[in-house]
Amino acid sequence: MNLPMPTPPAATLTLFDPFGFGRAAGRYWLDAFERSVLFADVMRQRGNQYLEHIEKTRPSVLGFDSEVLMDGRDLPRPVNYELLRILPPSGYPTDPKMRPFVVVDPRAGHGPGIGGFKPDSELGVALRAGHSCYFIGFLPYPEPGQSVEDVVEAEVAFLRHVNRLHSERGAEKPMVVGNCQAGWQIMMAASLEPDLFGPILIAGAPLSYWAGERGGAPMRYAGGMSGGSWMTSLLSDMGDGQFDGAWLVQNFENLNPANTLWTKQYQLFSNIDTEASRYLEFERWWGGHVVLGGNEIQYIVDNLFIGNRLSTAQLVTSDGRRIDLRNLRSPVVVFCSKGDDITPPPQALGWIRDLYEGVEDIVASEQTIVYCVHDTTGHLGIFVSGSVSRKEHTEFTANMDYIDVLPPGLYETTVSDASQRDDAELIERDYLLEFTPRTIAELDQVVQHSTEDDTRFATVARVSEINLGLYRLFMQPWVRALSTPESAQWMRRMHPNRMGYRLFSDRNPLMNAIPVLAEKIRADRHPADDENVFRVLESIASSQITGGLNAWRDFRDGATERMFLDTFGQPLLQSLVGLGGDAHVHRRRPGSEPEHLRFIERRHAELREQVAEGGSHEAVIRALIFVLGGAPSTDERNFKRLRASHAELEPQLTVADFKRLMREQFFILKLDREDAVEALPEMLKGQTAEQIAGHLTHIEHVLAASGELSEHSTERLERVRGLFEQAIDQAPIIEAESRAEAQAWISRQAEAQRFALNEMEDLMESQPVAKAEPEAKAEPEAKAEPEAKAEPEAKAEPAAPRRRTPSTRRKPDDNKR
């Protein structure tokens, strides 16, 4: 008969183990054993998940239901891309009249779907805003003979289809988002077919591959240290014409050996009871390796990674079209991060200084470029992180119409926390998008361009061409002769990144006992406390391992950089490859094409003829741009108020017309500011005095939206006020009494506006925490108060505009104050 073992009293245990180390050790080793088994079971699930995923015809981690609208395999030049329509979840109604939203997935070795990976992804943000959403994804294997140009043409065909679906409903051109490698694909497509694109957002996308600061961006040295692109050709030939994306993923993982070899796994092991689902969700995408065509990856490495030909307009299509990013007519938003070691800010922004000598060149090309530099997030966090999507991507999506109407130029945007601002009650959402005009010189502080480094990278490009030629002459015929589809398949299976998944799956007989043991442990788990001394020692040991691997990474990257700079900085090597002499320019700015110069001249002539043309809308917009010195506003509030007011004054004025007016008036002021401003009274002819006075009040109302004007802007506003009063004197009102009434109405409106602003300041001082209700709610409250009396003067004016502004608010009694 088996009797249960008696438990010793606590006093006895304390007597034999006064400090509790033995008991802590026992609990720790039991917990460590259980965590080890559970960890192995998660690895088993990861392996099974990997095998199930890669064996699908259309593997994807897209987190939304979708339907295929176009299959790239049916195009005249077949590709493995497809256009999907995202089916909105329940409770997310979409408005077909709103601008459609297209996300293009990056094809950089991982599987498709990362742009819609989570509910808080870019697609989730757009769906919540009511946009119709589309997704351009891809299949795991390329079509035979597929090229980069074919992929770009397929994306153009997809955008044409989206435009056809929504143009009949009056929607504007789609906003297109390109993540990582999809960014340069979208920019190439937009340079070839600029009329298909609305605003473009490129997130973490490298476009200037030679750029980067010393001590960072270690991947830019990879091409030089491997001797060029010959190894890419070798791997493609061994893969029977296909390149395994697992090699690209391995390059990413080598950037951070601490995370790859230890931290990621230890975090799972340490928190095995809570981390399993998150870990498996991410690994489903990270391990979904895809295959690229050999000619595709060779084109990318030769022309982009090593040749850097995209940012200098040196790429020419097979049918002779030059890919020049200056052809873009859509606003471009560049989102990058200082914490991104795969696409650091210099590589994301360097193309701007490569193409444009100054902001004047950007303006002449009628281009609007906005960039945002995040401080900390990593490469994947730019388009995967929920916090980034809820903040930056939400603001970009909500304000694309505002960005679309910005005058041509270069702007830096920041997203500020509305709750930390003094005018928080005037802001609709949790964050405020603000814009600051920048110059190329200011951008250079981020890009940190180096002419000496350009010479080194140009040397790498020449060495790469030589080595690739030697490989193709002496080795390629033998490698291709020995490669077969079967050998290529086995090479992919034996890749370390793929093999790690297979070894821990159920297809390994040694894993059969793991799920049974793991199930028993989950039923009777004995976790150790976080205060357990041995758990603390475990955490310290983990930190030491992480620190050691990080030190090795820093040493490796520093040594690689020094070796690269010393090797390719040798004058002898540079001369041997034909780059000797001070007169050689290794990264010249592309010259303007004759047709582009003729286009600019023709536009200038057209705009000069329109200096005195137009009506009240043109006059109001021109006055606003003049007062603000070129930019329509410092943040989104002025634009919203201006657009809402114009919609009220003339409902038939579409958003597209409004944007066209903004840009035309900006260029007219840019060409001849003095004549354009003096033409304001002429443009207001035909308006009554009261109408002109209403336009002037509207201008003052818009300018007051984002705070106090600068001294220079105030002086310009006084000049505009004088010109509008001159137009009132010339207005078709015969009676002097009516003219006097109009002038008095202007004075009363200005006084009422000043009073409203003072009231707002008093309210902010008396209630610094409370937020004011929106204006739309303020009017019913005013009607409900019987004691609140409106100003008799404002009430007596019959011709006051219908819109609600600070100048038409009711003035409360002193008692109510």
Side-chain angles (χ1 to χ4, degrees), residues 676-723:
V677 174
E678 291 298 325
L680 288 175
E682 182 71 19
M683 298 169 69
L684 293 170
K685 281 186 176 180
Q687 297 273 300
T688 66
E690 293 171 350
Q691 288 173 327
I692 298 172
H695 296 322
L696 180 59
T697 304
H698 166 63
I699 291 172
E700 294 173 341
H701 179 48
V702 171
L703 294 174
S706 56
E708 187 176 354
L709 293 175
S710 66
E711 181 179 353
H712 189 54
S713 295
T714 302
E715 293 175 357
R716 292 187 173 193
L717 177 58
E718 288 300 324
R719 183 178 177 187
V720 167
R721 187 178 287 115
L723 292 169

Side-chain angles (χ1 to χ4, degrees), residues 239-357:
D240 194 39
Q242 295 183 335
F243 183 87
D244 189 0
W247 294 109
L248 298 177
V249 177
Q250 188 176 50
N251 286 339
F252 299 153
E253 292 184 337
N254 289 340
L255 287 175
N256 193 351
N259 183 69
T260 301
L261 301 176
W262 180 259
T263 307
K264 183 168 65 172
Q265 282 72 24
Y266 175 72
Q267 184 177 2
L268 173 64
F269 174 75
S270 178
N271 304 282
I272 193 65
D273 300 306
T274 57
E275 281 290 302
S277 59
R278 185 202 62 81
Y279 180 86
L280 290 172
E281 183 184 27
F282 178 79
E283 286 294 308
R284 189 161 64 96
W285 172 74
W286 188 257
H289 310 120
V290 297
V291 175
L292 291 82
N295 59 337
E296 286 183 281
I297 190 65
Q298 197 66 40
Y299 179 97
I300 293 170
V301 173
D302 285 338
N303 291 292
L304 304 181
F305 295 167
I306 294 179
N308 195 48
R309 296 189 176 107
L310 177 60
S311 68
T312 51
Q314 298 180 58
L315 285 180
V316 180
T317 63
S318 56
D319 56 357
R321 293 176 294 168
R322 182 174 298 278
I323 298 175
D324 189 344
L325 300 184
R326 294 172 300 175
N327 292 338
L328 272 67
R329 292 295 173 264
S330 303
V332 178
V333 180
V334 183
F335 185 30
C336 54
S337 174
K338 296 177 182 177
D340 185 355
D341 55 357
I342 294 177
T343 306
Q347 292 189 5
L349 298 171
W351 64 277
I352 302 172
R353 73 162 312 282
D354 289 347
L355 288 173
Y356 304 105
E357 188 170 358

Side-chain angles (χ1 to χ4, degrees), residues 137-160:
F138 51 87
L139 302 176
Y141 291 93
E143 291 296 295
Q146 171 180 316
S147 68
V148 171
E149 287 185 26
D150 295 338
V151 173
V152 171
E153 291 295 340
E155 290 171 348
V156 168
F158 295 157
L159 263 294
R160 277 202 188 96

